Amino acid sequence: MCLGIPGQITKIISARERRAEVEINGVRREVNIACIADTEHPAESCVGDWVLVHVGFAMSRISEEEAALTLDVLTQLGEAQLEMDRMRESGRTGPMA
Protein backbone atom coordinates (compact mmCIF):
# COMPACT_ATOMS: atom_id res chain seq x y z
CA MET A 1 0.00 0.00 0.00
CA CYS A 2 1.29 3.45 -0.89
CA LEU A 3 0.58 6.25 1.49
CA GLY A 4 1.00 9.95 0.79
CA ILE A 5 1.46 12.14 3.85
CA PRO A 6 0.23 15.75 3.67
CA GLY A 7 2.79 18.48 4.15
CA GLN A 8 3.19 22.15 3.37
CA ILE A 9 6.05 23.55 1.31
CA THR A 10 7.90 26.08 3.47
CA LYS A 11 10.74 27.08 1.15
CA ILE A 12 12.42 26.31 -2.14
CA ILE A 13 15.91 24.89 -1.67
CA SER A 14 16.75 24.85 -5.39
CA ALA A 15 14.29 25.86 -8.09
CA ARG A 16 16.60 24.53 -10.80
CA GLU A 17 16.88 21.12 -9.13
CA ARG A 18 13.23 21.24 -8.01
CA ARG A 19 14.00 20.64 -4.36
CA ALA A 20 11.95 22.13 -1.55
CA GLU A 21 11.51 21.95 2.19
CA VAL A 22 8.19 20.54 3.40
CA GLU A 23 6.80 20.63 6.92
CA ILE A 24 4.90 17.53 8.01
CA ASN A 25 3.43 17.75 11.51
CA GLY A 26 6.21 20.05 12.68
CA VAL A 27 9.02 18.06 11.05
CA ARG A 28 10.82 19.64 8.12
CA ARG A 29 12.36 17.55 5.39
CA GLU A 30 13.65 17.97 1.87
CA VAL A 31 11.53 16.67 -1.00
CA ASN A 32 11.65 16.63 -4.76
CA ILE A 33 8.89 18.77 -6.33
CA ALA A 34 9.41 17.74 -9.97
CA CYS A 35 5.95 16.11 -10.06
CA ILE A 36 4.15 19.33 -9.10
CA ALA A 37 6.28 22.09 -10.62
CA ASP A 38 5.84 22.98 -14.29
CA THR A 39 5.68 26.03 -16.56
CA GLU A 40 2.19 26.94 -15.30
CA HIS A 41 3.17 26.51 -11.64
CA PRO A 42 6.97 27.02 -11.40
CA ALA A 43 8.97 25.89 -8.38
CA GLU A 44 9.23 29.42 -7.03
CA SER A 45 5.44 29.63 -6.71
CA CYS A 46 5.10 26.39 -4.71
CA VAL A 47 5.84 27.91 -1.28
CA GLY A 48 2.71 27.54 0.82
CA ASP A 49 1.29 24.72 -1.31
CA TRP A 50 -0.06 21.65 0.45
CA VAL A 51 1.20 18.43 -1.11
CA LEU A 52 1.06 14.67 -0.66
CA VAL A 53 4.57 13.38 0.05
CA HIS A 54 5.63 9.82 -0.69
CA VAL A 55 9.22 8.49 -0.50
CA GLY A 56 10.77 11.94 -0.79
CA PHE A 57 8.60 13.23 -3.62
CA ALA A 58 5.73 15.71 -3.54
CA MET A 59 3.37 13.65 -5.69
CA SER A 60 0.44 16.08 -6.02
CA ARG A 61 -0.93 19.37 -4.74
CA ILE A 62 -3.96 19.20 -2.45
CA SER A 63 -6.14 21.76 -0.70
CA GLU A 64 -5.50 22.78 2.89
CA GLU A 65 -8.87 21.26 3.81
CA GLU A 66 -7.96 17.92 2.24
CA ALA A 67 -4.61 18.01 4.05
CA ALA A 68 -6.33 18.64 7.40
CA LEU A 69 -8.83 15.82 6.84
CA THR A 70 -6.10 13.39 5.81
CA LEU A 71 -3.93 14.27 8.81
CA ASP A 72 -6.94 13.78 11.09
CA VAL A 73 -7.66 10.35 9.62
CA LEU A 74 -4.00 9.34 9.92
CA THR A 75 -4.01 10.44 13.57
CA GLN A 76 -7.15 8.41 14.23
CA LEU A 77 -5.63 5.37 12.53
CA GLY A 78 -2.51 5.71 14.66
CA GLU A 79 -4.60 5.97 17.82
CA ALA A 80 -6.67 2.94 16.78
CA GLN A 81 -3.48 0.96 16.12
CA LEU A 82 -2.14 1.87 19.57
CA GLU A 83 -5.39 0.75 21.18
CA MET A 84 -5.33 -2.56 19.26
CA ASP A 85 -1.73 -3.11 20.35
CA ARG A 86 -2.69 -2.43 23.99
CA MET A 87 -5.61 -4.86 23.71
CA ARG A 88 -3.34 -7.56 22.28
CA GLU A 89 -0.78 -7.02 25.05
CA SER A 90 -3.35 -7.03 27.84
CA GLY A 91 -4.88 -10.26 26.48
CA ARG A 92 -1.62 -12.13 26.98
CA THR A 93 -1.84 -13.59 30.47
CA GLY A 94 0.47 -16.52 29.93
CA PRO A 95 2.86 -18.03 27.44
CA MET A 96 1.55 -18.32 23.93
CA ALA A 97 0.98 -21.84 22.63
Side-chain angles (χ1 to χ4, degrees):
M1 174 174 85
C2 295
L3 182 64
I5 306 296
Q8 187 174 33
I9 297 176
T10 56
K11 74 177 180 182
I12 302 303
I13 296 170
S14 171
R16 185 178 61 78
E17 296 175 357
R18 296 189 174 169
R19 293 183 303 123
E21 181 182 86
V22 173
E23 183 173 326
I24 301 171
N25 271 352
V27 176
R28 293 177 183 238
R29 63 183 319 156
E30 186 176 317
V31 298
N32 183 301
I33 58 171
C35 294
I36 64 159
D38 56 29
T39 55
E40 292 178 20
H41 195 79
E44 296 85 354
S45 68
C46 291
V47 173
D49 286 354
W50 284 90
V51 294
L52 285 178
V53 177
H54 178 66
V55 294
F57 288 84
M59 302 303 290
S60 62
R61 283 189 300 278
I62 59 174
S63 69
E64 185 173 359
E65 294 77 20
E66 185 177 355
L69 287 171
T70 303
L71 286 170
D72 186 49
V73 168
L74 291 173
T75 299
Q76 290 176 30
L77 288 172
E79 291 170 359
Q81 183 63 50
L82 285 173
E83 186 59 29
M84 289 184 347
D85 291 345
R86 286 186 198 118
M87 288 169 50
R88 271 191 219 104
E89 290 171 7
S90 68
R92 294 183 186 153
T93 56
M96 297 191 71

